[in-house]
Amino acid sequence: MHFYCEKCKKEYPLNSISYHCSCGGLFRLYKNNTVPITPEVSIGEIETPLIPIKFGKQEFFFKMENLNPTGSFKARGAKTMISILKNLGIKHIIEDSSGNAASAIAAYAAAANMKCTAYVPENIAEGKLKQIETFGAQIRLVIGNRDTAAKTAQKEATKSKTYYASHVYNPLFFEGIKSLAYEIYHQLNDHVPEYIFLPVGNGTMLLGLYYGFEEIGRLPKFIAVQSENCCPLYNAFKKKRKGSKVGYTIADSIRVEKPMRLKEMLMAITRSNGEVLTVDDEEIIEAQHQVGRKGIYIEPTAAASVAGALKYFKKGKPDNYRVIIPITGAGINTSSNKD
């Protein structure tokens, strides 16, 4: 396996300190598909349940990713990435995140006896901050937003020549998320669903699912849901004017102003004949409450995709449409503090 630049095709080893090509292009992963990746670091993962949930007469399937060891789907990417980095002899990593990714990477780094430094924005949810600290990661609170935290982490990683284990830049993370596509396919008796609704910020779940289903051989329609207060993918997909003001949203995990893999995200939506839509905070909160009345407590970011599905199928949907909504994270690790 090795990384290669999506622009100039230059190759880099997996243990490279560089996190993008010298030409500016982002990395993709080349691997021999006949040799499966077998993650060695484990903290008790399960095949997360796929359960039918009804809203009125409409039935959706919740993929319960909140039941992953660290409470979010990010555990999938962290497990694979950290396992490979451990085999490569990496001893110290730097990561940045609004919460869930840093928590997952810190947990698996702890299990791998690997030092982890996490750069997080100052307005990170208190529950997520405590979780990261519990796993023994060194916390670096960054004054500013999510993008500022990323730039600070990148600068420090380059300066200290420390491996930048980014869930956005490192293709090994996406390789782990691909397992979600295979689980859904297996749980639907080797069928691909018609639709998958998912919240999108940096696009880690979207791209992981896209590459997973691409390997399977058929794509569902990906419906990406963003907050109307922060919707760069929506603006690009709808060819709207750039530079719109970014405001507060309760769905903090998808408040990403400048996603680095925007072109790949657009490719995934376009090739799947999908769509991008937005929801406001009132719709997100209402969806979170509706799901809560089903006995499930989810984070606002997960509720955004539920709100999107309810909005998209407001006039109903065919009964034979299998609509998957991954529950990206548990509600217990979030807070309602505004920045």
Side-chain angles (χ1 to χ4, degrees), residues 106-128:
Y108 281 91
N113 196 29
M114 187 182 297
K115 182 180 177 182
C116 176
T117 304
Y119 286 76
V120 299
E122 59 184 335
N123 64 332
I124 183 175
E126 184 178 352
K128 294 179 180 179

Side-chain angles (χ1 to χ4, degrees), residues 212-273:
F213 279 110
E214 186 181 48
E215 285 184 358
I216 290 170
R218 185 185 160 208
L219 297 174
K221 289 186 178 182
F222 293 116
I223 310 298
V225 183
Q226 297 201 295
S227 165
E228 66 175 23
N229 287 336
C230 185
C231 51
L233 178 61
Y234 175 84
N235 290 338
F237 188 72
K238 300 294 184 180
K239 294 181 171 57
K240 291 183 176 290
R241 186 162 54 91
K242 297 181 180 179
S244 57
K245 184 178 180 181
V246 176
Y248 169 80
T249 175
I250 192 173
D252 61 321
S253 294
I254 55 173
R255 190 184 175 192
V256 179
E257 185 177 353
K258 298 176 181 178
M260 293 305 301
R261 294 187 180 271
L262 184 61
K263 290 183 179 180
E264 289 178 62
M265 292 153 63
L266 288 169
M267 173 194 69
I269 298 296
T270 302
R271 290 186 179 178
S272 72
N273 195 28

Side-chain angles (χ1 to χ4, degrees), residues 22 31 48 64 82 138 145 184 186 193 254 269 281 291 319 338:
S22 57
K31 67 184 183 74
T48 60
M64 304 297 286
I82 294 299
Q138 293 184 339
N145 60 18
I184 292 171
H186 167 71
I254 55 173
I269 298 296
D281 275 10
V291 174
D319 292 338
K338 292 188 177 184

Side-chain angles (χ1 to χ4, degrees), residues 173-244:
F173 196 91
F174 296 98
E175 192 68 19
I177 303 298
K178 281 164 55 174
S179 66
L180 179 56
Y182 282 92
E183 274 192 22
I184 292 171
Y185 182 70
H186 167 71
Q187 290 170 323
L188 292 178
N189 298 316
D190 294 346
H191 287 89
V192 173
E194 281 70 32
Y195 288 88
I196 296 182
F197 283 76
L198 65 165
V200 174
N202 276 307
T204 50
M205 175 177 278
L206 172 62
L207 294 176
L209 283 171
Y210 172 78
Y211 292 122
F213 279 110
E214 186 181 48
E215 285 184 358
I216 290 170
R218 185 185 160 208
L219 297 174
K221 289 186 178 182
F222 293 116
I223 310 298
V225 183
Q226 297 201 295
S227 165
E228 66 175 23
N229 287 336
C230 185
C231 51
L233 178 61
Y234 175 84
N235 290 338
F237 188 72
K238 300 294 184 180
K239 294 181 171 57
K240 291 183 176 290
R241 186 162 54 91
K242 297 181 180 179
S244 57

Side-chain angles (χ1 to χ4, degrees), residues 20-182:
H20 62 70
C21 183
S22 57
C23 78
L26 299 183
F27 288 159
R28 298 284 295 274
L29 177 67
Y30 173 82
K31 67 184 183 74
N32 185 342
N33 286 324
T34 62
V35 182
I37 296 176
T38 305
E40 296 180 359
V41 181
S42 175
I43 52 176
E45 304 79 20
I46 62 170
E47 181 176 274
T48 60
L50 185 68
I51 62 175
I53 298 290
K54 282 195 173 183
F55 294 88
K57 295 182 179 180
Q58 298 193 86
E59 182 179 75
F60 302 136
F61 288 90
F62 281 10
K63 179 62 170 161
M64 304 297 286
E65 290 297 282
N66 57 315
L67 300 181
N68 276 299
T70 60
S72 83
F73 79 96
K74 297 283 178 55
R76 294 180 182 272
K79 175 182 172 67
T80 296
M81 181 174 68
I82 294 299
S83 292
I84 294 173
L85 296 185
K86 180 182 179 182
N87 288 338
L88 292 173
I90 303 297
K91 302 295 183 182
H92 180 200
I93 59 173
I94 285 177
E95 152 70 348
D96 59 84
S97 164
S98 63
N100 283 338
S103 176
I105 292 172
Y108 281 91
N113 196 29
M114 187 182 297
K115 182 180 177 182
C116 176
T117 304
Y119 286 76
V120 299
E122 59 184 335
N123 64 332
I124 183 175
E126 184 178 352
K128 294 179 180 179
L129 183 62
K130 288 183 178 179
Q131 192 178 21
I132 298 167
E133 289 176 331
T134 299
F135 296 136
Q138 293 184 339
I139 304 293
R140 298 289 184 267
L141 283 175
V142 177
I143 298 175
N145 60 18
R146 172 71 183 82
D147 293 326
T148 305
K151 292 177 182 177
T152 305
Q154 292 160 13
K155 183 178 180 180
E156 181 56 33
T158 300
K159 178 182 176 181
S160 63
K161 296 183 179 179
T162 302
Y163 194 94
Y164 182 45
S166 168
H167 63 290
V168 178
Y169 284 84
N170 197 310
L172 297 176
F173 196 91
F174 296 98
E175 192 68 19
I177 303 298
K178 281 164 55 174
S179 66
L180 179 56
Y182 282 92

